[in-house]
Amino acid sequence: MKLSRFVSLVMYYGLAIYLPATNNSLGLSRFIRWFRKISACNAFDSCGENVNIERMADFGKGDGIRIGNNSGIGVNCEVRGPLEIGDNVMMGPEVMILTSMHNTSRTDIPMCHQGYLPKQKVTIGNDVWIGARVIILPGVKIGNGVIIGAGAVVTKDIPDYAVIGGVPAKIIKFRNE
C-alpha cells in the first residue's frame, strides 16, 4: 500500500469519519466537507472535484473506487470497489453497494466455508439519485439520470432515466417520457 493511501486512511478512519454530517447547524460544514475529502480521496483510485464524503461512510481501503465531480457518499453508507460513480450523483443515507458475495453453489459444504465469488464492478452513471437504504448488488450498471427510491434492492442493470423502486427494484416510469 502506498504511503499516501495509508496516511489518508489513518486520517479518515481516525478522525474525519466521526465529524458531524455536513447538514449540521454548527457552521463548520465547509471545513468538515473539505477535511473529509482530503482524508478520503487519496485512498480512492480517482476522485473528482467538489466530492462530499459524509459522516460514517465506510469505503474499506478505497481500492478500485472512482468517484466523479459533484458526487457524494452518504451518511452511514458502505461501499466497496470495484465501483465507478459518475458526476452529480446524490446518495442518501445507509446505502450499501456490494461488489462480492458468498459462494453458495455447493450443498455439502457450509456456505460460510465456501469463500467468495469474484468481485463484480458496479457502475453508476451521471446525474443519479440513490435514495436512503438502497442496496445495489454486484455487477449492476445504473444508467444516467436514474432515480432509485428509498429501500430498493437493485438486482439488475437499470436503463437511462428510469425511476425504480421496490424489492427487487422494478421500473416505475421513465423521467424522459
Side-chain angles (χ1 to χ4, degrees):
M1 177 184 300
K2 292 189 328 188
L3 181 60
S4 63
R5 180 171 272 180
F6 176 76
V7 170
S8 291
L9 292 170
V10 169
M11 282 176 42
Y12 180 76
Y13 287 111
L15 176 61
I17 194 171
Y18 301 108
L19 295 174
T22 59
N23 64 353
N24 70 69
S25 60
L26 300 174
L28 298 172
S29 295
R30 178 176 267 168
F31 169 76
I32 292 168
R33 191 173 176 149
W34 169 82
F35 188 70
R36 272 207 204 97
K37 181 182 190 279
I38 65 162
S39 300
C41 282
N42 283 332
F44 299 152
D45 288 359
S46 79
C47 188
E49 296 296 318
N50 198 33
V51 167
N52 185 30
I53 310 298
E54 276 295 350
R55 183 176 202 281
M56 300 303 287
D58 181 350
F59 49 81
K61 295 185 287 183
D63 294 335
I65 297 176
R66 304 174 69 80
I67 185 167
N69 298 320
N70 307 308
S71 293
I73 299 175
V75 174
N76 290 327
C77 288
E78 186 172 331
V79 303
R80 295 292 186 270
L83 169 63
E84 186 168 338
I85 299 172
D87 295 335
N88 305 303
V89 173
M90 297 185 295
M91 189 179 297
E94 300 180 11
V95 169
M96 292 185 70
I97 301 176
L98 308 174
T99 57
S100 65
M101 297 182 78
H102 284 280
N103 188 356
T104 60
S105 60
R106 294 182 59 182
T107 57
D108 60 326
I109 299 173
M111 291 179 277
C112 62
H113 297 295
Q114 292 185 45
Y116 289 93
L117 296 171
K119 289 185 176 192
Q120 296 178 28
K121 181 179 181 179
V122 171
T123 304
I124 300 170
N126 299 317
D127 190 28
V128 172
W129 180 10
I130 304 170
R133 295 187 174 171
V134 166
I135 299 172
I136 300 172
L137 297 184
V140 170
K141 292 182 176 103
I142 296 169
N144 296 317
V146 169
I147 297 173
I148 305 173
V153 177
V154 183
T155 60
K156 54 188 172 186
D157 295 354
I158 307 300
D160 291 348
Y161 303 106
V163 177
I164 67 168
V167 179
K170 293 184 178 12
I171 295 173
I172 298 168
K173 67 178 188 175
F174 285 91
R175 292 178 58 211
N176 58 353
E177 289 182 350

